[in-house]
Amino acid sequence: MQDDVSKVIISETAIRDRVAALADELARRYADTSDGIILVTILAGSVIFLADLIRRLPMKMRIGLITVTSYPGATTRSHGAILASASLPDLRGRDVLIIDDILDSGGTLRLVQDQVRRAEPRRVTTAVLLRKKANAPANLPVDFVGFDIEGEFVVGYGLDYNGLYRNLPYIGVLKPDLYEAES
Ligand code: HPA
Ligand code: MG
């Protein structure tokens, strides 16, 4: 599997340091919460980010899960975000933090932000590990960003291509011949 990667963009240690810094920022932001926050996590790409992040958070928290498909099968292009399933605690009046692996075309986050807002939480903020700044729509606000990256399709640390490579401990790019040609 490691042989399929042509370039490591963000190393394991760089991710660890940045996730720790993000957790510190979140701890400060939510220092005043008494009833805790709800982390709405977008599956499956965000599971590793979530697991590493929450073990560094000092406040009370609950987890909600939401599954969105937008890159089905062997593709590096969004085919439109579809809400596949949701398992969420009651969000009404609560402090909600949406967690996603990557802000790319923005379709997934827009769908999830709309869905969460419909449940009438007190406050909604969003944290993403990665942001492709050139692609991300200007009118889609995210409050916390781990890394800004270029437009290349990346895998690892939760992110997949065709369901694979989520378990790589770093963020990298695959060898070009592994991406199937798309018309
Ligand atoms: N890699 C993996 N999944 C993605 C990406 C990416 O670059 N962009 C949107 N979903
Ligand atoms: Mg994916």
Side-chain angles (χ1 to χ4, degrees):
M1 184 181 60
Q2 312 256 352
D3 296 343
D4 292 356
V5 174
S6 67
K7 185 171 60 169
V8 174
I9 288 179
I10 308 172
S11 71
E12 202 174 342
T13 42
I15 295 172
R16 193 191 318 122
D17 291 350
R18 185 69 189 117
V19 170
L22 274 178
D24 289 347
E25 276 183 61
L26 290 167
R28 282 196 295 277
R29 168 74 71 103
Y30 293 105
D32 61 345
T33 176
S34 54
D35 52 357
I37 66 171
I38 299 176
L39 282 94
V40 171
T41 303
I42 305 174
L43 295 176
S46 307
V47 289
I48 297 177
F49 179 36
L50 176 81
D52 283 348
L53 187 69
I54 62 175
R55 281 177 290 173
R56 308 193 71 105
L57 293 180
M59 63 281 202
K60 286 184 184 162
M61 47 140 302
R62 293 187 172 86
I63 294 173
L65 302 173
I66 199 157
T67 306
V68 176
T69 32
S70 43
Y71 293 73
T75 185
T76 59
R77 283 199 321 244
S78 176
H79 288 234
I82 296 167
L83 183 69
S85 69
S87 165
L88 298 174
D90 190 7
L91 304 181
R92 183 180 302 270
R94 305 304 304 270
D95 239 322
V96 174
L97 173 63
I98 297 171
I99 301 282
D100 203 5
D101 52 0
I102 186 165
L103 170 55
D104 192 332
S105 60
T108 298
L109 268 180
R110 201 183 299 282
L111 183 75
V112 172
Q113 286 181 348
D114 288 350
Q115 182 80 10
V116 165
R117 285 205 189 93
R118 240 173 271 142
E120 299 179 1
R122 177 170 64 224
R123 183 165 61 159
V124 183
T125 44
T126 302
V128 296
L129 178 70
L130 306 176
R131 174 173 61 184
K132 288 186 188 168
K133 209 156 187 190
N135 300 7
N139 63 355
L140 189 81
V142 291
D143 307 276
F144 300 92
V145 177
F147 301 91
D148 276 311
I149 61 169
E150 302 300 316
E152 291 167 300
F153 196 85
V154 293
V155 297
Y157 198 74
L159 291 114
D160 73 302
Y161 173 66
N162 198 13
L164 298 174
Y165 308 109
R166 296 192 194 278
N167 53 326
L168 290 170
Y170 47 76
I171 307 279
V173 177
L174 294 180
K175 292 179 178 161
D177 54 312
L178 290 168
Y179 296 115
E180 285 175 28
E182 293 179 62
S183 55

